[in-house]
Every structure is written in structure tokens, then in C-alpha cells.
Amino acid sequence: YQITDSPEDLTQMFANIETAYRLKPDLPESNMGKAFIHFREGDFDQAFEKNRMALEKGPNRYEIHMAVGYAYREMGLYEQAMPFFLKVIELATFYLYGKLNIATCYMYLGEFDKTEKYLWEALNLNPKNPFSLFYLARYLSQMGKIDKAGQLTGQSPWHNGMLGYGRVAEKYKYIYNFYTGKERLFDLANDPGELHDLAPDNVQKNMLQMWRARMVDHLSERGDEFVKEGKLQIRKEGMLYSPHYPGQI
């Protein structure tokens, strides 16, 4: 079956899965299909139960581990998804989509060094794969590595659709208030008047994490009063510094 949002296609897909499950309930594929139905219906307990049964019947099937990991990832449970994606690349070293999903989980968990590591590994498996090029270029641009992101966009068959990623990092404004700990994020390309704060928007969680990480990197050399254990600090007292701090004037 193919994932689709068409009601007619979904109805036919569900019917086919139910028929397969009725005829061959012990097949891993039948249980994966039932898990897919339960997941689409929002019955996550039953979805994971069917995926568990599929894993019991096919413990070395990388596509089953991929399906379970993807379900956890879609629910925002990135730490729970990680072992399944790691198993995918253990069982199928050639499968770059396992690496892309690991990178996605690390990105949402804020482990950016590992994010970039797995994105590059995915690209090295197939340097012409458009998904690998797209996700790596997007990540690099969000981290401010504009030149490298631009080089990758030129290598992709999706070149025209990726051109914007070469400059995307320059179109956002991130603000951190040390007194309150409040963050603000603005899309300057679409909101030049800074009227719509994206920081509370869960859809922009990835972008917010990227810009927070850049602020942490920028301020880390100033010491624990600004960044401690990789986290921006809250300061209630005023501090007067030269704009060249910590360097000498």
C-alpha cells in the first residue's frame, strides 16, 4: 500500500489490509498493515501492539523497525524512536532513510553534532539522492553554514525548489531575554514588521532550537553567567560590558 490522504484511496487501502490480515494474520506484513490502520485512527496502543507482534514474527526485518521508529517519531517521542532507527541501519547498512530519521530525532533532541554526522552519512551512501541533499542543505542553512548549503542545492535535481535554503538562515531574528528567559523568533522575509512571534508555535520548534543553539555557541565564551552546561541562563542583575566583550578594546 501507499500512504495517501485521499479518502477513496484510504478506504480501499484499509479494505485490502483487513483482507490480508483475515487471510494471513501471522504475517509480519499483515500486522504492520493493521498497525498502520490503528495509527491513522489514533489508537496508538493497538498500533504499537500490532507492531510488537510484527517484530516478534520478523525481528530481523529492517522495514518493521523502520515503521515502529517512524510511529514514535510522528508522536514526538524521539528518544523512544531512536533504538528502532539504529536497528534499521544495523540490519540494512545501505538504507539511507534510516540515517535521515536518526538525524531528524537528534535534531529535535538538540544534539546537533550527531544530526550533521548522520546527514552526511546518508548523503555519502548516495551523493545524488534528492532527499539527502535536501535535508542536509536545509540543516546547514539553518545552522548558518550558508555557503555549503548553497553548494549542495546546486547538486540536487530539486535545485529550483531548494534555492531558498541557501539564504534561509538570514531571514530569521532570534531574541533571548536574559532577565525572564523568554525567547522570540521572527520570520523577517514574511513578517518584516516583527508582528508574529514564532517562538510559541510548535511547528517552528525545529527552527527555534537551531537559533537557540547558535546563541549558545555565540555566548559560551562569556562564561557560566551567560551559558552553563549548554543552556542559556537567566540573570536578574544588571551587567555592563563593552560590545567587544570578552575581547579587549
Side-chain angles (χ1 to χ4, degrees), residues 28-59:
E29 293 85 352
S30 298
N31 284 277
M32 286 177 64
K34 287 288 284 186
F36 174 76
I37 291 176
H38 290 309
F39 188 81
R40 290 297 295 246
E41 293 176 341
D43 189 349
F44 301 124
D45 289 341
Q46 279 299 311
F48 284 115
E49 174 62 18
K50 291 301 180 184
N51 273 327
R52 183 191 64 77
M53 294 174 67
L55 282 171
E56 286 184 354
K57 301 174 187 302

Coordinates of all heavy atoms in Angstrom, one line a residue, residues 28-59:
P28 N 4.1 -10.9 9.2 CA 4.5 -9.6 9.7 C 3.9 -8.4 9.0 O 3.5 -7.4 9.6 CB 6.1 -9.6 9.5 CG 6.4 -11.0 9.5 CD 5.3 -11.7 8.9
E29 N 3.8 -8.6 7.6 CA 3.2 -7.5 6.8 C 1.7 -7.3 7.2 O 1.3 -6.1 7.2 CB 3.3 -7.9 5.4 CG 4.7 -7.9 4.8 CD 5.4 -9.2 5.0 OE1 4.8 -10.1 5.7 OE2 6.4 -9.4 4.4
S30 N 1.0 -8.3 7.6 CA -0.4 -8.1 8.0 C -0.5 -7.3 9.2 O -1.4 -6.4 9.4 CB -1.1 -9.5 8.1 OG -1.1 -10.2 6.9
N31 N 0.4 -7.6 10.2 CA 0.4 -6.9 11.5 C 0.8 -5.5 11.3 O 0.3 -4.5 11.9 CB 1.2 -7.6 12.5 CG 0.5 -8.8 13.0 OD1 -0.3 -8.7 14.0 ND2 0.8 -10.0 12.5
M32 N 1.8 -5.2 10.4 CA 2.2 -3.9 10.1 C 1.1 -3.1 9.5 O 0.9 -1.9 9.8 CB 3.4 -3.9 9.1 CG 4.7 -4.3 9.7 SD 6.0 -4.4 8.5 CE 6.1 -2.7 7.9
G33 N 0.3 -3.7 8.6 CA -0.8 -3.1 8.0 C -1.9 -2.7 9.0 O -2.4 -1.6 9.0
K34 N -2.2 -3.6 9.9 CA -3.1 -3.3 11.0 C -2.6 -2.2 11.9 O -3.4 -1.3 12.3 CB -3.4 -4.5 11.8 CG -4.3 -5.6 11.1 CD -5.7 -5.1 11.0 CE -6.4 -5.3 12.3 NZ -7.9 -5.0 12.2
A35 N -1.3 -2.2 12.1 CA -0.7 -1.1 13.0 C -0.9 0.2 12.3 O -1.2 1.3 12.9 CB 0.7 -1.4 13.2
F36 N -0.8 0.2 10.9 CA -0.9 1.5 10.2 C -2.4 2.0 10.3 O -2.6 3.2 10.5 CB -0.6 1.2 8.7 CG -0.9 2.4 7.8 CD1 0.0 3.5 7.8 CD2 -2.0 2.4 7.0 CE1 -0.3 4.6 7.0 CE2 -2.3 3.5 6.2 CZ -1.4 4.6 6.2
I37 N -3.4 1.1 10.2 CA -4.8 1.5 10.4 C -5.0 2.1 11.7 O -5.6 3.2 11.9 CB -5.7 0.3 10.1 CG1 -5.6 -0.1 8.6 CG2 -7.1 0.7 10.5 CD1 -6.5 -1.4 8.3
H38 N -4.5 1.4 12.8 CA -4.7 1.9 14.1 C -4.1 3.2 14.3 O -4.6 4.1 15.0 CB -4.2 0.9 15.1 CG -5.0 -0.4 15.2 ND1 -6.3 -0.4 15.4 CD2 -4.6 -1.7 15.2 CE1 -6.8 -1.7 15.5 NE2 -5.7 -2.5 15.3
F39 N -2.9 3.4 13.7 CA -2.2 4.7 13.9 C -3.0 5.8 13.2 O -3.1 6.9 13.8 CB -0.8 4.6 13.3 CG 0.1 5.7 13.6 CD1 0.7 5.9 14.8 CD2 0.2 6.7 12.6 CE1 1.5 7.0 15.1 CE2 1.0 7.9 12.9 CZ 1.7 8.0 14.1
R40 N -3.5 5.5 12.0 CA -4.3 6.6 11.3 C -5.6 6.9 12.1 O -6.1 8.0 12.0 CB -4.6 6.1 9.9 CG -3.4 6.1 9.0 CD -2.8 7.4 8.7 NE -3.7 8.3 8.1 CZ -3.5 8.8 6.8 NH1 -2.5 8.5 6.1 NH2 -4.4 9.7 6.3
E41 N -6.1 6.0 12.8 CA -7.3 6.2 13.6 C -7.1 6.8 15.0 O -8.0 7.0 15.7 CB -8.1 4.9 13.7 CG -8.6 4.3 12.3 CD -9.3 3.0 12.5 OE1 -9.0 2.3 13.5 OE2 -10.0 2.6 11.5
G42 N -5.8 6.9 15.3 CA -5.4 7.5 16.6 C -5.4 6.5 17.8 O -5.3 6.9 18.9
D43 N -5.5 5.2 17.5 CA -5.5 4.2 18.5 C -4.0 3.7 18.6 O -3.7 2.6 18.1 CB -6.4 3.0 18.1 CG -6.6 2.0 19.3 OD1 -5.8 2.1 20.3 OD2 -7.5 1.1 19.2
F44 N -3.2 4.5 19.3 CA -1.8 4.2 19.4 C -1.4 3.0 20.1 O -0.5 2.3 19.8 CB -1.1 5.4 19.9 CG -1.3 6.7 19.2 CD1 -1.8 7.8 19.8 CD2 -1.1 6.8 17.8 CE1 -2.1 9.0 19.1 CE2 -1.3 7.9 17.1 CZ -1.8 9.0 17.7
D45 N -2.2 2.6 21.2 CA -1.9 1.4 21.9 C -2.0 0.2 21.1 O -1.1 -0.7 21.1 CB -2.9 1.3 23.1 CG -2.6 2.3 24.2 OD1 -1.4 2.9 24.2 OD2 -3.4 2.6 25.1
Q46 N -3.1 0.1 20.3 CA -3.2 -1.0 19.4 C -2.2 -1.0 18.3 O -1.8 -2.0 17.8 CB -4.7 -1.0 18.8 CG -5.7 -1.6 19.8 CD -5.4 -3.1 20.1 OE1 -5.2 -3.9 19.2 NE2 -5.5 -3.4 21.4
A47 N -1.9 0.2 17.8 CA -0.9 0.3 16.7 C 0.5 -0.3 17.2 O 1.1 -1.1 16.5 CB -0.7 1.8 16.3
F48 N 0.9 0.1 18.4 CA 2.2 -0.4 18.9 C 2.1 -1.9 19.2 O 3.1 -2.6 19.1 CB 2.6 0.4 20.1 CG 3.2 1.7 19.7 CD1 2.5 2.9 20.1 CD2 4.3 1.9 18.9 CE1 3.0 4.2 19.8 CE2 4.8 3.1 18.5 CZ 4.1 4.2 19.0
E49 N 0.9 -2.4 19.6 CA 0.7 -3.8 19.9 C 0.9 -4.6 18.6 O 1.6 -5.6 18.6 CB -0.6 -4.1 20.5 CG -0.9 -5.5 20.7 CD 0.0 -6.3 21.7 OE1 0.7 -5.6 22.5 OE2 0.1 -7.5 21.6
K50 N 0.3 -4.1 17.5 CA 0.4 -4.8 16.3 C 1.9 -4.8 15.7 O 2.4 -5.7 15.2 CB -0.6 -4.3 15.2 CG -2.0 -4.6 15.5 CD -2.3 -6.1 15.6 CE -3.7 -6.4 15.9 NZ -4.0 -7.8 16.1
N51 N 2.5 -3.6 15.9 CA 3.9 -3.5 15.5 C 4.8 -4.5 16.4 O 5.8 -5.0 15.9 CB 4.4 -2.1 15.6 CG 4.1 -1.3 14.4 OD1 4.1 -1.8 13.3 ND2 3.9 0.0 14.6
R52 N 4.5 -4.6 17.6 CA 5.2 -5.5 18.5 C 5.1 -6.9 18.0 O 6.0 -7.7 17.9 CB 4.7 -5.4 19.9 CG 5.5 -6.3 20.9 CD 4.8 -6.4 22.3 NE 3.5 -7.0 22.1 CZ 3.3 -8.4 22.0 NH1 4.3 -9.2 22.0 NH2 2.1 -8.9 21.9
M53 N 3.8 -7.3 17.6 CA 3.6 -8.7 17.0 C 4.4 -8.8 15.7 O 4.9 -9.9 15.5 CB 2.1 -8.9 16.8 CG 1.3 -8.9 18.2 SD -0.5 -9.0 17.9 CE -0.6 -10.7 17.2
A54 N 4.4 -7.8 14.9 CA 5.1 -7.9 13.7 C 6.6 -8.1 13.9 O 7.3 -8.9 13.2 CB 4.9 -6.6 12.8
L55 N 7.2 -7.4 14.9 CA 8.6 -7.6 15.3 C 8.9 -9.0 15.8 O 9.9 -9.5 15.5 CB 9.0 -6.5 16.3 CG 9.2 -5.1 15.8 CD1 9.4 -4.1 17.0 CD2 10.5 -5.1 14.9
E56 N 7.9 -9.5 16.6 CA 8.1 -10.9 17.0 C 8.2 -11.9 15.9 O 9.0 -12.9 15.9 CB 7.0 -11.3 18.0 CG 7.0 -10.7 19.3 CD 5.9 -11.2 20.2 OE1 5.0 -11.9 19.7 OE2 5.9 -10.8 21.4
K57 N 7.4 -11.6 14.8 CA 7.4 -12.6 13.7 C 8.5 -12.3 12.7 O 8.9 -13.1 11.9 CB 6.0 -12.5 13.0 CG 4.9 -12.8 14.0 CD 3.5 -12.6 13.3 CE 2.4 -12.8 14.3 NZ 2.4 -14.1 14.9
G58 N 9.1 -11.1 12.7 CA 10.1 -10.7 11.8 C 11.2 -9.8 12.5 O 11.3 -8.7 12.1
P59 N 11.9 -10.3 13.5 CA 12.8 -9.5 14.3 C 13.9 -8.9 13.5 O 14.5 -7.9 13.9 CB 13.3 -10.5 15.4 CG 13.1 -11.8 14.8 CD 11.9 -11.8 13.9

